[in-house]
Amino acid sequence: MRSRQAGLSPMPAVNYEELARFYDALVTDDSDLPYFRDLARQADGPVAEFMAGSGRLSVPIAEDGIDLTCVDSSQEMLSLLREKLVARGARARVVCGDVTRVELGTQFTLIFIAFHSFEELASDTERQACLENVLRHLHAGGRFVCTTHDVPSRLASVGPGKGDRWRFRDPQSQREVTLSLETEYDDTTGVVQGEEALSFANDDVPFLRLPLRFRLIRPEAFSRLADEAGFIVKSVRADFTTTEYREGQCRTAVWTLCPRRTV
Ligand SMILES: C[S@@+](CC[C@H](N)C(=O)[O-])C[C@H]1O[C@@H](n2cnc3c(N)ncnc32)[C@H](O)[C@@H]1O
């Protein structure tokens, strides 16, 4: 396994170098794909997915012939993305880098961060740096679309006795794997942390334990950060619909931000 480039990235929310080989078997919900695919088709210019991972969204978008750049800090996740691009005959620019400071030398009409990944940037400093870096890479008339968890609905599965479990098949051994996630919440910091434990069926002892840590962000805090970075909030929608987001009534807030200077 390749090592993370020294000093490249802040502490990740989870060790994606270890999780990568299971990621696509584990994350099979593509209900956000039609939304991002349409956005990319309508972008009328170069598109970038920041925190693109193994290309769950980026690969189908690249298959649509979009001029796409995919950025992620995990070499292992990007290896999966590259393999899928080759297998499907699609093209995209793939960059291993930290979204808080990567320099792509291109301006995009659309940049997006999906799957609540923004909340994996733990500190306000990293979040601010990410937003400022997105802004630097956007055309004056471009858009940044970012999803965040609805905090009340995410907290429904956090805390003692509220853990989550997933079953899937290990792509390498074909053995059935159970992933158990137990987390706790610190409401002074907004941090959710815990451990993902992966075990093979009938084994009591997990073969892999991965610490997990991310920090939920409430709408007021996201709006404030966006404003400080130089964005205006064009819309906040609930769960990829046209309905305006209201806290506690959906799972995901879908933010559309525009550079302030164009308004
Ligand atoms: C939950 S995964 C989402 C992957 C993909 N966007 C999806 O929807 O399936 C989060 C991704 O963010 C990446 N990531 C975390 N911190 C990062 C950073 N500072 N810079 C770039 N990528 C980062 C991880 O390596 C991981 O692939």
Side-chain angles (χ1 to χ4, degrees):
M1 201 169 281
R2 272 166 295 195
S3 61
R4 181 177 289 269
Q5 197 180 319
L8 177 73
S9 190
M11 186 69 185
V14 62
N15 184 339
Y16 280 98
E17 305 303 355
E18 296 273 358
L19 187 65
R21 65 174 266 227
F22 305 105
Y23 187 87
D24 288 343
L26 177 64
V27 180
T28 54
D29 178 1
D30 285 345
S31 52
D32 53 353
L33 176 58
Y35 178 85
F36 285 107
R37 212 167 187 170
D38 281 353
L39 267 189
R41 284 178 182 144
Q42 290 158 16
D44 196 23
V47 174
E49 181 178 9
F50 278 18
M51 310 176 91
S54 61
R56 188 180 64 84
L57 299 171
S58 273
V59 172
I61 288 171
E63 282 182 295
D64 288 343
I66 305 291
D67 175 355
L68 180 69
T69 298
C70 315
V71 179
D72 200 278
S73 55
S74 162
Q75 289 280 10
E76 292 297 324
M77 294 291 271
L78 290 179
S79 294
L80 294 171
L81 190 156
R82 287 193 189 94
E83 279 168 23
K84 284 188 266 181
L85 287 173
V86 170
R88 300 195 205 173
R91 294 168 68 91
R93 180 181 174 205
V94 179
V95 177
C96 187
D98 181 340
V99 293
T100 64
R101 54 192 146 132
V102 70
E103 184 45 70
L104 300 169
T106 309
Q107 296 225 296
F108 299 92
T109 51
L110 169 71
I111 298 177
F112 65 94
I113 296 183
F115 210 32
H116 321 113
S117 304
F118 184 78
E119 287 159 301
E120 298 195 6
L121 304 172
S123 69
D124 278 355
T125 310
E126 285 163 55
R127 291 170 174 194
Q128 198 70 34
C130 172
L131 290 171
E132 286 170 4
N133 204 21
V134 167
L135 186 67
R136 272 195 291 278
H137 283 92
L138 271 184
H139 269 301
R143 281 193 289 178
F144 173 48
V145 175
C146 184
T147 64
T148 57
H149 283 291
D150 175 63
V151 175
S153 48
R154 186 62 188 84
L155 289 181
S157 56
V158 173
K162 294 190 197 164
D164 275 328
R165 281 180 148 233
W166 293 267
R167 275 184 214 286
F168 60 93
R169 223 157 258 292
D170 172 15
Q172 279 176 16
S173 67
Q174 293 305 314
R175 293 178 70 185
E176 189 177 275
V177 177
T178 302
L179 186 152
S180 309
L181 174 61
E182 296 291 338
T183 46
E184 56 189 35
Y185 179 59
D186 178 339
D187 68 358
T188 56
T189 59
V191 169
V192 176
Q193 63 184 339
E195 184 183 75
E196 295 183 323
L198 289 87
S199 4
F200 288 122
N202 307 322
D203 279 0
D204 294 335
V205 182
F207 64 88
L208 185 61
R209 291 178 184 277
L210 296 174
L212 170 80
R213 187 177 194 276
F214 58 94
R215 193 169 140 242
L216 296 171
I217 186 163
R218 291 211 120 90
E220 322 74 72
F222 190 87
S223 293
R224 182 177 41 77
L225 281 181
D227 179 59
E228 284 168 8
F231 284 103
I232 62 148
V233 177
K234 288 292 278 184
S235 64
V236 197
R237 304 279 190 234
D239 288 342
F240 309 103
T241 66
T242 52
T243 306
E244 198 175 326
Y245 170 75
R246 278 166 195 264
E247 205 171 37
Q249 297 188 8
C250 62
R251 295 168 62 90
T252 296
V254 184
W255 297 80
T256 301
L257 311 183
C258 296
R260 190 185 297 122
R261 62 183 177 268
T262 65
V263 180

